[in-house]
Amino acid sequence: MKKLLQKIAKKSPWLYRINAGSCNGCDVELATTACIPRYDVERLGCKYCGSPKHADIVLITGPLTARVKEKVLRLYDEIPDPKVTVAIGVCPISGGVFRDSYAITGPIDKFIPVDVNVPGCPPRPQAIIDGIVEAIKIWETRL
Amino acid sequence: MTDIVKLIFDLLIFPGGLFAVVFGLFLMGIDRKIAARLQRRVGPPVYQPFIDLVKLTRKEIVVPETAHLQAFRLAPLLGFVGMMAAVTLIPIAGVYQGFEHLGDLLVLLYLLSLPAIALMIGGSASSSPFGAIGFSREMVMMMSYELPLLIVLVTVAMKVGLATGGIATFSLSEIVQFQLENGALLFDYTMLPALLAFLVFIPGNMGVVPFDIPEAETEIVEGPILEYSGTGLALFKLMTSLKMVVVLGLAIALFFPTPLGENFLINLLWFFLKCLVLMVISITVVRTSTGRIRMDQAFKFYLKYPTVLALISLVLTLLQG
């Protein structure tokens, strides 16, 4: 029974986007990926949701600046539990062009467990969709 | 004894309960699919709402620290149970009689305002500023769309009442019976403005795009249901789908209940088809082809057009009778 429910439930991952101080490049790429008809993510069952309480897969962009650190951690705690984190862009991995800046508190995986990395500056839409598919595979094991 | 068994069956299995939930969720799925096709996308499968519900029951429930607990937990239940009761009042011609009471139309009117009230309670109890904004907007929306609805219901009741020798008939089964004997009200020219008013009322009540001001996703992040997660959110989704069945079923009972022959299953399919056509006209096409309007614009719109249309119908009916 539990296996069946797992199998059914994995087809409805809802996406939530956190901007941890990114330059907006990845955000634009994300918005075009999931929103415009061309790369229709809704056929995977995904839905962009505005509230962190509804989310399953968290997409984080940006290098986690000192100013937004507390807010991002609070937002991450609000997301209900079977959840998967996807870091979009090169900034969450190393800081990218902002590396060694005094305003950056470091790579995101110091504070938040990151499951999938999608590198690129910004990554291509196909790469982002591929990352979401990877995340769905990980999410299935946690349900 | 058999009465009680029949009542429980009505409430839990056939017109209410299981059947209505499946019916409503399928309507939602078809709505999403058609909306996707209209935007040249592939869209999710038709059974996507079921999957969403299964997933939501497996999620953790997060409750805000400052929320009023009892009200926060009971609000989705209130809306869901209210809609479940409302479904049993809707007669399906040739399939289900409905409750034969004197004033079930008035009861339905009160039950129809329950989802909005549940959203208001939930939004205000969640102690979130977005919830509070959603709450106030929901209240204004409700005040604006209830007036044309009330006038349409009174018009239909007076039409049937005057024709049968009384003043007004507030019984849905009698209204359906009258139309089965004397032809559907859809083909009566005096009722066309009322039908138009009802078609305009449907998107406002369902909260779809031009009138989704209370739960504006991009502006106040879904307003009243912002703080709900897991089963609470699932109940709100169920409530919305049941509300769709109730509103579309009410429109069909008021204007075009004519069945196709005697067969039970064919009549049920015919009802489904009528619901589908009505939904595509009044919800899907409207929500894919428009953008959101402001609160004051929606309020003025509802007081200007549907109310005047319904009043024209009422005056014509009174002049005829």
Side-chain angles (χ1 to χ4, degrees):
Chain A
M1 192 65 193
K2 202 185 162 207
K3 278 266 190 286
L4 181 72
L5 284 180
Q6 255 179 15
K7 213 173 162 186
I8 295 172
K10 76 160 186 188
K11 285 185 182 164
S12 153
W14 289 1
L15 310 176
Y16 180 66
R17 177 165 56 85
I18 299 178
N19 182 337
S22 94
C23 68
N24 218 21
C26 298
D27 292 293
V28 170
E29 215 53 60
L30 263 180
T32 51
T33 308
C35 287
I36 65 166
R38 187 160 176 176
Y39 306 103
D40 175 28
V41 189
E42 205 183 352
R43 66 185 148 177
L44 298 177
C46 297
K47 207 174 86 174
Y48 245 151
C49 48
S51 157
K53 303 268 165 80
H54 305 176
D56 304 304
I57 292 180
V58 201
L59 307 160
I60 300 184
T61 58
L64 196 66
T65 56
R67 220 182 163 80
V68 297
K69 187 187 135 202
E70 292 304 317
K71 283 126 190 157
V72 166
L73 292 184
R74 209 180 84 193
L75 213 51
Y76 187 77
D77 281 340
E78 278 189 12
I79 297 165
D81 226 346
K83 60 187 166 192
V84 182
T85 321
V86 182
I88 306 276
V90 81
C91 292
I93 301 171
S94 63
V97 289
F98 307 112
R99 188 172 181 155
D100 298 333
S101 160
Y102 61 89
I104 306 293
T105 49
I108 275 178
D109 54 3
K110 257 205 263 179
F111 305 98
I112 293 172
V114 174
D115 298 297
V116 182
N117 272 309
V118 182
C121 185
R124 293 180 65 80
Q126 291 91 330
I128 294 177
I129 292 175
D130 196 43
I132 291 172
V133 172
E134 281 297 313
I136 292 171
K137 275 182 201 157
I138 296 172
W139 186 50
E140 191 189 356
T141 60
R142 290 185 191 169
L143 268 167
Chain B
M1 191 61 201
T2 48
D3 266 11
I4 294 174
V5 171
K6 188 180 175 301
L7 241 160
I8 292 174
F9 182 79
D10 281 355
L11 207 61
L12 291 183
I13 314 276
F14 173 51
L18 204 63
F19 169 76
V21 167
V22 172
F23 188 66
L25 287 177
F26 256 113
L27 274 181
M28 288 286 248
I30 294 172
D31 171 53
R32 271 175 83 174
K33 189 81 184 173
I34 293 177
R37 295 305 301 164
L38 285 176
Q39 293 172 342
R40 296 193 180 175
R41 289 189 284 131
V42 177
V46 177
Y47 49 86
Q48 186 65 40
F50 293 94
I51 301 176
D52 287 353
L53 279 189
V54 170
K55 184 208 65 181
L56 283 175
T57 54
R58 300 185 64 76
K59 295 282 284 183
E60 182 193 4
I61 297 173
V62 182
V63 180
E65 252 177 31
T66 44
H68 187 287
L69 259 185
Q70 280 98 356
F72 185 75
R73 281 189 185 147
L74 284 179
L77 211 60
L78 173 75
F80 174 66
V81 170
M83 276 300 99
M84 208 67 134
V87 170
T88 56
L89 292 180
I90 303 283
I92 307 169
V95 179
Y96 175 66
Q97 272 283 301
F99 277 178
E100 305 196 15
H101 282 299
L102 216 58
D104 52 357
L105 204 55
L106 294 179
V107 177
L108 196 65
L109 182 67
Y110 277 97
L111 285 178
L112 258 182
S113 63
L114 264 186
I117 290 171
L119 280 177
M120 282 183 216
I121 294 174
S124 57
S126 68
S127 82
S128 147
F130 291 124
I133 296 172
F135 156 63
S136 75
R137 289 183 181 188
E138 184 77 50
M139 202 149 75
V140 178
M141 262 323 267
M142 195 173 119
M143 287 202 289
S144 50
Y145 66 64
E146 289 275 278
L147 185 64
L149 172 70
L150 187 63
I151 299 176
V152 169
L153 293 189
V154 168
T155 309
V156 173
M158 288 197 103
K159 175 95 190 162
V160 174
L162 286 174
T164 51
I167 298 170
T169 309
F170 283 103
S171 160
L172 261 178
S173 50
E174 266 178 49
I175 289 173
V176 169
Q177 198 56 42
F178 172 81
Q179 293 182 67
L180 294 189
E181 283 159 13
N182 301 331
L185 288 179
L186 177 69
F187 303 117
D188 191 333
Y189 75 95
T190 58
M191 298 308 286
L192 278 183
L195 176 65
L196 272 180
F198 202 94
L199 282 184
V200 178
F201 151 81
I202 291 174
N205 188 36
M206 286 304 299
V208 295
V209 157
F211 308 112
D212 74 332
I213 315 156
E215 39 198 75
E217 238 176 74
T218 44
E219 187 185 0
I220 52 168
V221 287
E222 311 203 16
I225 59 169
L226 161 72
E227 298 286 346
Y228 281 94
S229 61
T231 32
L233 187 62
L235 277 180
F236 268 129
K237 297 268 169 204
L238 268 181
M239 182 191 85
T240 319
S241 62
L242 283 179
K243 189 162 76 174
M244 188 126 100
V245 175
V246 171
V247 173
L248 297 178
L250 178 64
I252 285 163
L254 287 183
F255 294 105
F256 191 61
T258 325
L260 270 184
E262 297 286 308
N263 194 320
F264 176 87
L265 263 180
I266 289 179
N267 279 340
L268 202 61
L269 277 179
W270 177 231
F271 178 75
F272 184 74
L273 200 71
K274 282 190 283 190
C275 273
L276 202 64
V277 170
L278 205 60
M279 182 188 77
V280 170
I281 293 173
S282 63
I283 296 177
T284 315
V285 172
V286 172
R287 93 185 167 95
T288 42
S289 58
T290 50
R292 188 185 312 124
I293 56 178
R294 280 199 318 267
M295 192 69 252
D296 58 324
Q297 287 170 330
F299 189 67
K300 274 179 200 154
F301 173 82
Y302 270 108
L303 286 192
K304 257 186 207 163
Y305 303 103
T307 311
V308 170
L309 280 172
L311 275 176
I312 289 172
S313 220
L314 183 63
V315 170
L316 282 177
T317 307
L318 284 179
L319 286 180
Q320 240 185 6

